[in-house]
Amino acid sequence: MPELKTLGLFIVTALAEIVGCYLPYLWLREGKSVWLLVPAALSLAAFAWLLSLHPTAAGRVYAAYGGVYIAVAIGWLWWVDGIRPTQWDLLGSAIALLGMAIIMFAPRTS
């Protein structure tokens, strides 16, 4: 069960990062309100805080998080941007998630 908790925390972390970057994109590229920068900053602060909740070494967390970020970003491509991922997008995401699982859940000696 700790594996599901870790994965869930990574997913929420990735969403916080993506939202924190997407809102300034809307302001800069789509001409939306500058006030989007306020929730963007809060979202990026939440992203940093969420990464700190993992009980393992920061470098390992950052490396493994990248795999989940890739998969969540491909989901964002589909659900928010309305672009269906290709089989290659999905394969790449699966490989990235496999890498995350190896990094986070491999047996370690203390």
Side-chain angles (χ1 to χ4, degrees):
M1 205 52 125
E3 292 85 0
L4 287 178
K5 182 179 176 184
T6 297
L7 182 60
L9 185 55
F10 275 148
I11 290 170
V12 171
T13 303
L15 287 171
E17 183 179 9
I18 291 170
V19 167
C21 295
Y22 186 69
L23 295 177
Y25 168 85
L26 290 177
W27 168 59
L28 291 167
R29 299 286 305 259
E30 304 291 329
K32 304 293 184 184
S33 172
V34 70
W35 288 104
L36 288 175
L37 297 180
V38 174
L42 294 172
S43 187
L44 288 174
F47 154 71
W49 174 72
L50 288 163
L51 274 180
S52 75
L53 297 180
H54 291 274
T56 191
R60 182 173 291 128
V61 169
Y62 300 156
Y65 164 72
V68 176
Y69 179 87
I70 290 167
V72 172
I74 293 298
W76 186 276
L77 173 74
W78 195 351
W79 297 312
V80 176
D81 293 333
I83 299 170
R84 187 180 182 118
T86 67
Q87 66 185 14
W88 300 108
D89 295 328
L90 298 174
L91 178 61
S93 295
I95 291 169
L97 287 173
L98 177 62
M100 178 280 300
I102 292 168
I103 292 168
M104 286 303 292
F105 308 131
R108 291 184 174 58
T109 57
S110 297

